[in-house]
Amino acid sequence: QVGNFVTMQINSLSLPGPAVVTGWSIIVTPPPGYLIADGRADCHPETRQVLADSTLEVCVFEPLDGFPERVTLGRLPESQRTRFEVPESRAFLRVILADTVGPSTMLRFTVLVNNALAAPAEALNAWSLVIQDGSGVPQYTNDRTLTGFPLYGTLTDDSFVRWRLNEYPGESNLVKVSIQLKSSLNGTEGLLVKVVAPPGF
């Protein structure tokens, strides 16, 4: 899946701990195989553009509760906006805070990611949230305790089920099932396709 919105939430900071001030960063690292979606590094909810197809530009980072953009409910000068950076590898997202965060402040934001081709191993399927000070030294971390979500594939509209012999109740029939996957499938040995008929068949 290319372009999946994931909402992250930090309920509060553990105490005692240092004050989180302007210029500190939140580093969001998804599980192995995921990538932060490609997009403009300067895209921001307040400055996003209307695209050629009349839709609104999708930002890689969307500040929600606890950020100055939502607290003030108004357009902010650029120097007071929350910024973000994505490295060329797209392995993580850096959110640069534009305001002090109190210990009881809840922070909630959305990150746009590209899902992994296959679900990571259970032990690795976790998201990392680290708050770094202005020198890049970690001050708070969740120790990768945010369990990732499961990944399920889906079929295209070209998939179908058709009968081959007759449509009479109680008679033997031959049913053709055709499936097409919307995304690639990295299976393992023993992978099965399970077909379940409607009740009564």
Side-chain angles (χ1 to χ4, degrees):
Q1 171 67 41
V2 176
N4 187 21
F5 291 99
V6 178
T7 300
M8 315 295 296
Q9 181 170 310
I10 301 174
N11 289 323
S12 62
L13 302 176
S14 58
L15 294 176
V20 177
V21 298
T22 303
W24 284 30
S25 302
I26 303 174
I27 309 298
V28 181
T29 306
Y34 288 77
L35 294 174
I36 304 300
D38 194 12
R40 280 179 39 219
D42 60 344
C43 176
H44 192 278
E46 290 185 338
T47 59
R48 55 164 52 124
Q49 301 176 1
V50 177
L51 304 179
D53 59 358
S54 299
T55 61
L56 203 58
E57 181 179 29
V58 175
C59 291
V60 176
F61 166 75
E62 177 90 34
L64 300 175
D65 299 322
F67 289 89
E69 290 83 357
R70 294 305 174 101
V71 173
T72 60
L73 298 178
R75 190 177 180 88
L76 292 171
E78 187 174 352
S79 60
Q80 298 178 24
R81 296 179 194 150
T82 306
R83 296 182 293 117
F84 70 91
E85 298 173 349
V86 181
E88 187 175 350
S89 66
R90 294 188 285 145
F92 65 89
L93 171 80
R94 179 189 299 274
V95 178
I96 303 170
L97 299 172
D99 199 1
T100 298
V101 177
S104 60
T105 300
M106 181 189 73
L107 293 177
R108 193 165 65 92
F109 54 93
T110 297
V111 179
L112 188 64
V113 303
N114 295 338
N115 288 347
L117 293 179
E122 184 175 354
L124 300 176
N125 192 17
W127 291 70
S128 170
L129 290 175
V130 177
I131 298 180
Q132 296 180 347
D133 63 20
S135 300
V137 178
Q139 298 292 340
Y140 295 91
T141 177
N142 72 330
D143 293 322
R144 280 196 178 269
T145 55
L146 290 178
T147 302
F149 45 85
L151 293 176
Y152 300 102
T154 186
L155 306 180
T156 69
D157 294 336
D158 294 327
S159 304
F160 61 84
V161 177
R162 294 175 182 166
W163 56 267
R164 296 287 299 275
L165 297 181
N166 63 71
E167 54 187 6
Y168 302 119
E171 296 290 330
S172 296
N173 205 353
L174 181 65
V175 177
K176 179 180 180 180
V177 179
S178 177
I179 60 174
Q180 280 192 329
L181 305 181
K182 280 191 174 181
S183 58
S184 60
L185 175 63
N186 291 355
T188 58
E189 185 177 353
L191 187 68
L192 301 176
V193 175
K194 185 178 182 180
V195 180
V196 181
F201 282 78

